[in-house]
Amino acid sequence: MNFAIVRYIIGFILQFEAAFMLLPGLVGICYGEVKEAIIYFLIALLCLICGFLLRMKRPKQMQLFTREGFASVALSWLIMSFFGALPFVITGEIPHFIDALFETISGFTTTGASILSDVEALSHTSLFWRSFTHWIGGMGVFMFIMAILPMMGGSTMNLMKAESPGPSVNKLVPRVKDTAKILYQLYIGITVLEVLVLCLCGMPIFDALTTTFGTVGTGGFGIYNDSIGGYSPLIQIVITVFMILSGVNYMVYFYLLSRHFKEAFSIEEVRWYFLIILGSIAIIVWDCHSLYSSLSDNLRHAAFQVGSIITTSGFSTVDFNAWPQLSKTVLIILMFVGACAGSTGGGIKVSRIVILFKAFQKELSMMIHPRMIKKIKMDGHIIPHETLRSTNVFMSVYFLILFLSILLIGIDEYDFTTNFTAVAATLNNIGPGLELVGPTQNFSLFSPFSKCVLMFDMLAGRLELFPMLIILRPACWKKY
């Protein structure tokens, strides 16, 4: 392990977190929350100093290998969350550090699971920071750094692989820096567009910004206790559209802007993504027809919740815990399916589901015709054996973590549905689950130990499992 390069990268992260923390401080000044603003500025200064100290000595060896890439990403997200939780504790708005850390990790990992029973009691400063963590974590802080700074040349692909969601990471253009820049330009473009549309629909600018952070980052922290339920039907429809668009593979937008329309519409994963959404909406509309007075209300709520769950945003307009069993089952399945690879969404990812289904079809065909040679293809290209192997390993580790986490939090003696959906909601970065962790409830009921388990699940889910597991292996920390 090249400890010097890991230290150097963490220093970068802390300096950028210091810059990010200036924004809620400015919001606090605008709303006359001087005490909160000063605290955020002081924490920003602390991050800046710590980052400067870590970067004082430049590493002799700047080459970044896979081990250092995964370790740097995992440790940076942990340290970033630690410093990000400090303002909540010092302001007294979330006095217990474990709770503050849970809320912050939930924000950075775009999970949206909360321990707060009264969100509206927070200051505008903390509400902004809480939602802004979604936007920072949505595309990834390393992606942001790579977009604006030359770090370690081509070896930064190992950072990109560790932080980016999906079974494989492709460069849109030859240089990693240019790929990161394109992705962030798209990310910022969608963010600005949603803010403008929401403002045109009558939403106040503060609400539009915080809601957009949670929508484009597929996070789901609301600034009101009823999440999005108090807004007009028009605003809910706009948020639904942007949630679903944020779950699309960003390569589609790159192809569309590059006028490569054939490539954009030929991505198989995206076609399945929209088919799953339409099918799920149809089932829920049929199943919930007796709950709503009009078809338009039924369709609006069904589309919103399907879009919210499959993209792992976690917003809500209604208490879907009160829906019929079939509809709740559909939502649980969508929790696991997740959004597209290369989006800001979580979950297993549609691409992995498609790959596994194709592999299943291949195995059935080979049972009938043992001598048949059949290659699995996606988007007209043969899927490499490495991708198939990594997908199978991912699924094995995924379910191992899922079942182990359910077992561990079982010590709190809550019902199985609560425990199962709590783990599913955190591991898939969704937010609300069912029963005691439903959309009108929160995660404060769990013990500190269970909260730590769920925090690990949130980080593991956001970082595609392996970075969080690698740092637990003693072999990872051996010097070369």
Side-chain angles (χ1 to χ4, degrees), residues 26 72 91 96 124 183 213 267 330 363 369 386 436 465:
L26 293 173
S72 298
T91 58
H96 301 293
H124 288 86
L183 289 172
F213 293 152
I267 298 179
V330 170
E363 287 302 313
H369 306 286
E386 179 66 22
L436 299 180
L465 308 183

Side-chain angles (χ1 to χ4, degrees), residues 104-116:
T104 307
I105 288 176
S106 181
F108 279 126
T109 59
T110 72
T111 302
S114 179
I115 50 82
L116 297 171

Side-chain angles (χ1 to χ4, degrees), residues 435-475:
E435 299 302 337
L436 299 180
V437 290
T440 61
Q441 306 295 323
N442 58 70
F443 286 70
S444 62
L445 72 163
F446 288 107
S447 65
F449 172 77
S450 292
K451 286 174 183 172
C452 289
V453 172
L454 297 175
M455 283 189 277
F456 176 86
D457 289 343
M458 286 189 277
L459 287 164
R462 173 59 183 86
L463 300 178
E464 298 284 295
L465 308 183
F466 296 109
M468 291 303 296
L469 296 176
I470 282 177
I471 63 171
L472 299 178
R473 286 179 57 85

Side-chain angles (χ1 to χ4, degrees), residues 213-226:
F213 293 152
T215 305
V216 180
T218 61
F221 274 154
I223 60 173
Y224 297 107
N225 293 330
D226 62 354

Side-chain angles (χ1 to χ4, degrees), residues 355-372 374 376:
I355 289 172
L356 288 170
F357 183 73
K358 287 175 179 285
F360 172 69
Q361 285 184 313
K362 177 186 175 181
E363 287 302 313
L364 288 180
S365 299
M366 291 186 70
M367 287 179 183
I368 300 171
H369 306 286
R371 296 184 180 181
M372 181 185 68
K374 184 177 182 180
I376 299 176

Side-chain angles (χ1 to χ4, degrees), residues 148-224:
I148 61 176
L149 288 179
M151 290 179 66
M152 278 72 69
S155 62
T156 50
M157 191 66 183
N158 289 318
L159 290 175
M160 195 174 182
K161 286 179 180 178
E163 192 180 53
S164 299
S168 61
V169 179
N170 295 318
K171 291 187 285 186
L172 301 178
V173 289
R175 294 177 62 198
V176 175
K177 176 181 171 67
D178 293 335
T179 296
K181 189 179 296 185
I182 290 168
L183 289 172
Y184 246 99
Q185 286 172 346
L186 292 169
Y187 191 54
I188 293 171
I190 295 173
T191 301
V192 172
L193 180 61
E194 185 181 357
V195 170
L196 291 175
V197 173
L198 288 176
C199 288
L200 289 174
C201 292
M203 184 180 271
I205 182 64
F206 181 81
D207 295 32
L209 282 169
T210 51
T211 302
T212 298
F213 293 152
T215 305
V216 180
T218 61
F221 274 154
I223 60 173
Y224 297 107

